[in-house]
Amino acid sequence: MAEALKAEGNKAFSAKDYPTAIDKFTQAIALDTNNHVLYSNRSAVFVALSDYQHALDDANKAVEIKPDWAKGWSRKGAACRGLGDLVGAHDAYDQALKLEPNNSQFKSGFDAVKRAIDSEARADRVSGDPTAGLGGLFDDPQFFQKLASNPRTAALLNDQEFMTKLRHVKDNPNSMGEEMRDPRFLQVLSVLLGIDMQFPGAPPSGQEEPDEEMPPLVPDPEPEPQDEETISKQKAQAAGDAEKKLGNDFYKKRQFDEAIEHYGKAWELNKDITYLNNIGAAKFEKGDYQGAIDVCEQAVTEGREQRADFKMIAKAFARIGTAFEKLGDLTVAIENYNKSLMEHRTPDVLAKLRTVEKAKVKAEKDSYISSEEAERARELGQQKFQEADWPGAVEAFAEMTKRAPDDPRGYSNRAAALIKLMAFPQAVQDCDEAIKRDPKFIRAYVRKSQALLAMKEYNKTLDVLAEAQEQDDKGAHTREIEQQQQKALEAQFSARVGETEQETADRIQRDPEIMSILQDPVMQSILQQAKGDPSALQEHMKNAHVRMKIQKLIAAGVIRLGR
């Protein structure tokens, strides 16, 4: 849910619906209080609203949760700058650059703050007219080149009227105060000082785009001249991506060896762990699971050193887990799936983890199965039972159910021991397990009826015995079943001895099963017929189902015989 709310917040931010974005990120934080990205994203929205104090609070929380996360320090830099704390902004951007020295956005923010600090320092050295110290800016030999190279002022150089004013101020800086009413001079000073002079509500210069591919708040500035190192990295990236594309083409054709060759060349040209992950995917698809593990472990190590995107590291861990799953090492597979989820939580990896956890439990159970050990446990259980060591018998028969989970005898025998311990509900559950494994196992029905009879569940006892009769095709257990039925009926008769007719009527009204029998149209017809011809009742009792219902009515006192 937190991920879904974050996505909604990002969408609202993109649409510049800042109140909704704040609300979504706040709800997400309530569900996932230790997610540094959520605080960072909300900080970006607060900056867009010029609410710099709240932006700073969220940025501080982000770096508190993840101190080595450079983006969080850049958020703090933007918030401090909005509050006018240039020193704090300088220190925050400096920390961001220490963590990611080559990040151009962090460099831009740091340079902008540094220029602002230098500008304030120059202004502090000037006394008297507040604009007097600015006159020196117009003596810069690259004065016009700076204006021409910046898109905000380049067009002004084509305005002859403005150029006349500009030359006048350049020749006579003391006249600047008169011209400051012209907003175009603010643009000129902004470029010369290296700081932004914007209307209230605009975000400070150097604001980078928020996380999760949210769009920038302001148009990207004109790129500064690139040094040789930057150009070299861009060329390496382009060359690596070109090899990756060739690898992808072979991968789609399932020509994995060729794909691996091109992904390897991509890695040699540009140390991006995406290429290593791609090699891992190709090795996995060709069945080289150990090879996939090795290269993905390399991706994790390299990714840590490069401070790569945590999503890419999560992907490497997930593939390691899948490879170990294929190799049958479910324990290590689970470890790596958990590592992946710690880096970045995704539904597909979570589903894989749950599946492997279930498979591991089943594998452990299957590995414990042994017919020989089950037989030893059964013999031990019988010995304990004969010695009247009921707890010992329960323990032995429990071991039998683990060693032979499909053998109904283990559950039925344990039920017999549980009945001796008067643990009747547990005995009923064990009998149900035995019947589930073998519906023809009559001994389990009989033992279940014994437990129910002890619980004074007379009607349920009779129902279980009726089921036993249906399953006893050859009638091998007829006598035992009928004896148990007679015990249940006698117990039910005994339970109502001494009742008045009114007490019997009240009890019948409270018995839902007896009332259900009485409301059965077939039984109503039989009972009506029996009133006129009692001998007809005997004829109907030849049907097993009808006989059982009539016996229940007799036992409950609805039908009275022998008067």
Side-chain angles (χ1 to χ4, degrees):
M1 290 182 65
E3 286 294 322
L5 288 167
K6 181 175 73 173
E8 292 180 22
N10 291 347
K11 184 177 180 181
F13 187 93
S14 299
K16 297 186 178 181
D17 183 0
Y18 302 135
T20 298
I22 291 290
D23 178 57
K24 296 300 181 182
F25 289 138
T26 301
Q27 291 184 52
I29 287 170
L31 295 173
D32 189 358
T33 56
N34 288 320
N35 191 323
H36 58 282
V37 175
L38 296 175
Y39 289 102
S40 176
N41 283 9
R42 191 170 68 174
S43 176
V45 183
F46 279 130
V47 167
L49 293 169
S50 299
D51 187 352
Y52 299 117
Q53 184 56 56
H54 280 108
L56 178 60
D57 293 341
D58 275 352
N60 281 332
K61 185 64 176 177
V63 297
E64 176 188 332
I65 295 171
K66 194 170 178 61
D68 61 346
W69 194 52
K71 179 72 74 173
W73 289 102
S74 72
R75 290 277 182 260
K76 183 172 181 178
C80 286
R81 187 175 179 191
L83 291 169
D85 181 5
L86 296 180
V87 174
H90 177 280
D91 292 344
Y93 278 121
D94 182 57
Q95 181 63 28
L97 285 170
K98 287 179 181 177
L99 295 169
E100 291 187 21
N102 298 321
N103 189 301
S104 58
Q105 291 178 335
F106 301 166
K107 285 182 179 179
S108 176
F110 179 82
D111 291 342
V113 170
K114 192 172 184 302
R115 287 194 298 269
I117 292 174
D118 292 343
S119 175
E120 284 192 0
R122 286 196 300 270
D124 289 342
R125 291 194 296 268
V126 177
S127 59
D129 183 0
T131 64
L134 300 177
L137 296 174
F138 293 85
D139 294 332
D140 188 339
Q142 295 184 342
F143 174 79
F144 287 108
Q145 288 87 337
K146 287 183 177 180
L147 298 184
S149 64
N150 193 291
R152 288 183 294 174
T153 53
L156 298 177
L157 300 181
N158 296 323
D159 187 333
Q160 293 300 323
E161 177 188 357
F162 180 72
M163 286 299 294
T164 299
K165 291 183 178 182
L166 193 59
R167 290 191 180 92
H168 176 67
V169 172
K170 191 174 187 307
D171 295 336
N172 184 14
N174 292 331
S175 64
M176 187 187 306
E178 302 173 8
E179 303 296 349
M180 287 302 290
R181 290 189 294 268
D182 188 333
R184 291 174 293 182
F185 273 91
L186 291 177
Q187 292 178 306
V188 171
L189 290 176
S190 173
V191 171
L192 296 177
L193 290 171
I195 61 175
D196 285 341
M197 294 183 179
Q198 300 175 342
F199 294 103
S205 177
Q207 172 68 50
E208 72 276 17
E209 72 276 4
D211 307 300
E212 304 296 330
E213 300 181 356
M214 293 167 65
L217 299 177
V218 295
D220 293 333
E222 284 292 305
E224 297 180 359
Q226 297 178 334
D227 55 27
E228 292 185 4
E229 182 182 356
T230 302
I231 294 172
S232 176
K233 287 184 178 180
Q234 289 178 345
K235 289 181 179 179
Q237 179 74 44
D241 286 347
E243 287 292 338
K244 184 184 78 169
K245 185 178 183 304
L246 293 173
N248 290 347
D249 292 338
F250 281 111
Y251 185 93
K252 292 173 184 176
K253 298 174 185 176
R254 301 191 66 78
Q255 296 176 345
F256 300 120
D257 289 331
E258 292 83 353
I260 290 170
E261 180 182 353
H262 285 287
Y263 292 145
K265 289 180 180 179
W267 171 249
E268 292 173 3
L269 292 166
N270 182 42
K271 301 303 182 185
D272 185 337
I273 67 167
T274 301
Y275 310 141
L276 293 179
N277 276 342
N278 287 3
I279 294 173
K283 285 180 177 289
F284 181 89
E285 288 298 328
K286 66 177 291 191
D288 182 6
Y289 302 125
Q290 188 57 54
I293 291 168
D294 293 340
V295 76
C296 287
E297 286 179 343
Q298 181 188 355
V300 171
T301 302
E302 295 283 355
R304 297 284 191 217
E305 294 178 358
Q306 299 174 13
R307 300 187 182 278
D309 188 343
F310 54 85
K311 293 180 182 178
M312 299 305 298
I313 295 177
K315 186 176 290 186
F317 275 127
R319 185 158 288 121
I320 292 171
T322 306
F324 273 113
E325 183 181 351
K326 286 288 187 180
L327 291 172
D329 193 338
L330 302 185
T331 300
V332 180
I334 290 171
E335 290 176 2
N336 281 278
Y337 283 143
N338 278 317
K339 289 178 181 179
S340 176
L341 292 170
M342 288 177 66
E343 295 291 332
H344 181 60
R345 198 170 183 85
T346 59
D348 59 327
V349 176
L350 183 60
K352 287 181 179 181
L353 173 64
R354 297 290 178 257
T355 300
V356 175
E357 287 176 334
K358 291 178 181 178
K360 183 172 181 286
V361 171
K362 183 178 183 301
E364 289 173 348
K365 287 183 177 179
D366 291 345
S367 67
Y368 201 70
I369 293 174
S370 169
S371 58
E372 294 179 357
E373 294 297 329
E375 183 60 22
R376 290 193 185 95
R378 187 185 70 82
E379 292 174 356
L380 177 61
Q382 288 179 332
Q383 178 186 338
K384 295 289 184 182
F385 193 92
Q386 291 170 1
E387 295 171 354
D389 181 1
W390 318 126
V394 169
E395 183 178 354
F397 290 132
E399 178 68 10
M400 180 184 175
T401 63
K402 295 175 183 177
R403 294 292 188 176
D406 294 329
D407 190 335
R409 294 178 300 168
Y411 302 96
S412 178
N413 288 353
R414 186 168 64 180
L418 288 168
I419 290 173
K420 293 293 185 180
L421 291 170
M422 294 188 289
F424 304 120
Q426 294 92 324
V428 170
Q429 291 177 0
D430 267 353
C431 290
D432 286 338
E433 291 294 329
I435 292 168
K436 185 188 300 182
R437 284 156 178 78
D438 183 3
K440 299 291 185 181
F441 194 67
I442 305 301
R443 175 61 59 189
Y445 292 99
V446 174
R447 283 179 176 153
K448 182 178 179 180
S449 72
Q450 291 172 349
L452 290 169
L453 183 59
M455 296 165 67
K456 298 182 179 181
E457 296 281 359
Y458 304 119
N459 290 333
K460 290 182 180 180
T461 301
L462 294 171
D463 289 338
V464 169
L465 293 169
E467 291 179 31
Q469 284 179 322
E470 291 179 2
Q471 296 295 337
D472 188 19
D473 300 330
K474 297 179 180 181
H477 299 272
T478 300
R479 183 178 177 183
E480 184 180 15
I481 293 170
E482 289 180 348
Q483 287 177 345
Q484 191 66 16
Q485 286 175 330
Q486 189 61 34
K487 286 182 182 180
L489 292 170
E490 289 176 357
Q492 195 167 14
F493 275 121
S494 299
R496 65 181 181 85
V497 169
E499 275 187 348
T500 64
E501 290 190 3
Q502 183 59 47
E503 288 172 339
T504 300
D506 292 342
R507 177 173 49 75
I508 291 171
Q509 289 290 332
R510 294 193 303 271
D511 190 328
E513 186 168 8
I514 297 300
M515 293 304 298
S516 175
I517 294 173
L518 291 174
Q519 292 169 4
D520 183 348
V522 174
M523 290 302 300
Q524 288 178 354
S525 175
I526 292 172
L527 294 175
Q528 188 65 34
Q529 184 181 359
K531 284 183 179 181
D533 182 9
S535 61
L537 200 60
Q538 296 296 326
E539 186 66 26
H540 286 297
M541 289 183 71
K542 292 179 181 180
N543 181 294
H545 289 288
V546 173
R547 180 172 67 251
M548 181 56 64
K549 290 182 178 180
I550 291 174
Q551 286 176 335
K552 287 182 179 180
L553 294 178
I554 293 172
V558 176
I559 299 175
R560 296 178 182 268
L561 302 177
R563 286 199 167 194

